[in-house]
């Protein structure tokens, strides 16, 4: 199946997390009143209940979490998701193919997938300057020559060049490899997938939207945002938090085919934190930025940073965080933060206080 069924919303509104967030916003307003982080930023946070079980629960609360904001490189996580989903769909499609010759397989995928992909994102068929080549995947670029399976059928994997570009997109968060990935995947695949899986709502233009290449290689296609007017890279925190929760939970994403994809995405996000462009909340990573401080470990992250049309820069962050004393895990997404030392320190204070409040720690 090309498109999975709409994903379930794993985020469950929780009064304890809500109370922790509400209290933390007030505490931050008292401690950092001038920065207005408690008023202007958008936040989603989920406490992961029973994270090692087969069905963890994500106890959730948010603030301004349904607002669309320009969020820069945080949206690269959605392009990564689109790449892995395409690999999974292609793997399932060729599971019983009789001929694994690359040209045969890729032409088969083009014939089987491309019209459905274009239909899933009809806006791109009428956008000025958006050509067929910009809408649909370039299968020979994304995938290596298929291998024959002993049981029959073919095995699909990323090409070395595409895998390298995807790592460059997520781990150091560089724009040229990001552009190469988005150009290879196509606007209609990325955004059609997000719409089909329930992570973007075309009727409201709310959710995760990626229709710019970060280099201008393709014309940008924009949706309204609160902080930057019409934007080609925008999201709500609740929908990005839903995506991170799906990646953490894993089994829902993996259930659509034989090609398990969640672990590959977790690995890239873990490497982004450990050896790449780590979370803004990482203690000691950036001079002048305090981070979360002692007692918390950030295991996975993807950050964003970009300039606004009206001037100034905004930062964003999607992270998985563990409280070292209790093992409690949290999924945190925030955006629309002014990129100054004081604003980052206020945000780290806010997120730390939410988690400590939830844990009942003064």
């Amino acid at each position: 199946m090309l498109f999975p069924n709409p994903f379930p919303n794993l985020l469950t509104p929780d009064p304890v997390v809500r109370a922790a967030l509400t209290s933390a916003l007030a505490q931050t307003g008292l401690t950092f009143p001038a920065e207005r982080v408690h008023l202007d930023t958008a936040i989603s946070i989920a406490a992961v209940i029973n994270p090692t079980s087969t069905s963890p629960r994500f106890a959730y609360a948010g603030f301004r979490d349904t607002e669309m904001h320009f969020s820069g490189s945080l949206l690269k996580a959605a392009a990564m998701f689109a790449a892995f989903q395409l690999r999974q769909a292609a793997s399932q499609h060729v599971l019983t193919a009789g001929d694994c010759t690359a040209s045969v397989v890729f032409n088969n995928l083009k014939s089987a997938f491309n019209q459905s992909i274009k239909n899933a994102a009809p806006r791109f068929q009428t956008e000025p300057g958006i050509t067929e080549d910009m809408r649909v995947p370039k299968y020979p670029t994304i995938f290596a020559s298929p291998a024959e399976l002993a049981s029959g059928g073919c095995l699909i994997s990323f090409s070395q060049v595409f895998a390298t570009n995807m790592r460059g997109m997520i781990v150091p968060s560089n724009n040229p490899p990001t552009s190469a990935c988005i150009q290879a995947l196509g606007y209609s695949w990325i955004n059609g997938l997000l719409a089909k899986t329930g992570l973007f709502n075309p009727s409201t233009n709310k959710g995760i939207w990626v229709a710019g290449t970060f280099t201008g290689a393709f014309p940008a296609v924009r949706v309204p945002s609160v902080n930057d007017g019409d934007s080609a890279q925008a999201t709500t925190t609740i929908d990005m938090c839903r995506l991170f929760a799906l990646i953490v939970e894993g089994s829902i994403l993996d259930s659509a085919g034989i090609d398990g994809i969640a672990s590959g995405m977790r690995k890239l996000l873990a490497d982004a934190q450990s050896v790449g462009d780590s979370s803004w909340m990482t203690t000691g990573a950036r001079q002048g930025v305090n981070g979360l401080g002692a007692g918390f470990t950030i295991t996975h992250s993807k950050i964003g940073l970009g300039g606004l049309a009206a001037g100034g820069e905004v930062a964003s962050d999607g992270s998985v965080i563990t409280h070292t004393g209790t093992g409690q895990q949290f999924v945190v997404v925030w955006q629309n933060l002014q990129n100054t030392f004081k604003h980052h320190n206020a945000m780290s204070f806010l997120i730390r206080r939410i988690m400590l409040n939830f844990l009942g720690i003064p």
Side-chain angles (χ1 to χ4, degrees):
M1 182 170 62
L2 176 58
F3 293 107
N5 293 323
F7 294 132
N9 184 359
L10 297 180
L11 308 179
T12 304
D14 185 88
V16 179
V17 181
R18 165 57 59 187
L21 170 60
T22 300
S23 178
L25 288 167
Q27 291 168 301
T28 305
L30 290 173
T31 308
F32 296 91
E35 284 65 45
R36 292 180 54 88
V37 167
H38 62 298
L39 299 174
D40 296 338
T41 53
I43 305 161
S44 288
I45 184 165
V48 187
I49 311 302
N50 298 322
T52 60
S53 74
T54 56
S55 55
R57 184 171 70 87
F58 294 81
Y60 176 80
F63 176 71
R64 301 185 67 169
D65 54 342
T66 62
E67 295 180 354
M68 288 288 282
H69 288 273
F70 163 73
S71 211
S73 292
L74 177 59
L75 275 300
K76 295 172 183 178
M80 172 191 70
F81 161 69
F84 277 94
Q85 283 286 166
L86 185 63
R87 194 188 74 186
Q88 184 184 64
S91 296
Q92 196 67 18
H93 184 74
V94 301
L95 188 58
T96 58
D99 187 342
C100 294
T101 305
S103 59
V104 172
V105 169
F106 297 148
N107 284 332
N108 186 334
L109 293 175
K110 180 179 178 180
S111 297
F113 287 175
N114 281 15
Q115 191 58 54
S116 294
I117 288 171
K118 289 183 286 186
N119 292 345
R123 176 177 174 181
F124 293 97
Q125 299 194 59
T126 58
E127 281 291 328
I130 303 300
T131 65
E132 173 92 358
D133 186 61
M134 298 173 187
R135 298 182 190 114
V136 296
K138 300 176 177 66
Y139 303 104
T141 299
I142 299 168
F143 300 128
S145 294
E148 293 185 7
L149 294 168
S151 57
C154 309
L155 176 66
I156 294 286
S157 59
F158 291 129
S159 71
Q160 183 175 352
V161 170
F162 186 83
T164 298
N165 281 332
M166 187 159 56
R167 183 173 178 83
M169 174 175 70
I170 298 299
V171 180
S173 197
N174 293 333
N175 286 342
T178 301
S179 181
C181 288
I182 293 173
Q183 290 180 65
L185 292 166
Y187 283 168
S188 293
W189 168 248
I190 296 170
N191 294 285
L193 173 70
L194 293 167
K196 287 286 190 179
T197 54
L199 294 170
F200 180 78
N201 186 339
S203 66
T204 62
N205 282 328
K206 293 283 190 76
I208 303 173
W209 179 259
V210 187
T213 64
F214 292 83
T215 64
F218 288 175
V221 180
R222 306 177 191 277
V223 294
S225 74
V226 172
N227 64 350
D228 200 36
D230 289 346
S231 175
Q233 293 116 8
T235 188
T236 64
T237 60
I238 191 170
D239 287 292
M240 188 59 72
C241 193
R242 285 185 62 201
L243 177 57
F244 269 70
L246 285 162
I247 294 171
V248 169
E249 190 272 345
S251 65
I252 292 171
L253 296 180
D254 289 347
S255 65
I258 62 164
D259 183 10
I261 60 175
S263 63
M265 288 187 276
R266 288 195 296 265
K267 177 66 164 60
L268 286 171
L269 295 172
D271 287 351
Q273 177 59 29
S274 63
V275 298
D277 209 5
S278 63
S279 167
W280 294 110
M281 300 177 289
T282 306
T283 302
R286 297 171 179 87
Q287 187 173 1
V289 178
N290 296 336
L292 292 176
F296 292 97
T297 300
I298 303 171
T299 57
H300 304 75
S301 70
K302 182 71 200 79
I303 67 168
L305 178 67
L308 298 175
E313 289 184 321
V314 287
S316 53
D317 197 308
S319 294
V320 181
I321 305 168
T322 299
H323 181 248
T324 52
T326 63
Q328 176 63 58
Q329 190 178 74
F330 299 87
V331 177
V332 178
V333 178
W334 52 258
Q335 61 184 2
N336 195 39
L337 179 76
Q338 291 186 47
N339 186 36
T340 74
F341 294 150
K342 289 183 178 180
H343 285 84
H344 279 293
N345 290 336
M347 177 56 79
S348 291
F349 175 88
L350 170 58
I351 299 303
R352 179 182 175 87
R353 279 307 337 158
I354 298 171
M355 295 186 292
L356 290 176
N357 290 346
F358 174 79
L359 295 166
I361 299 174

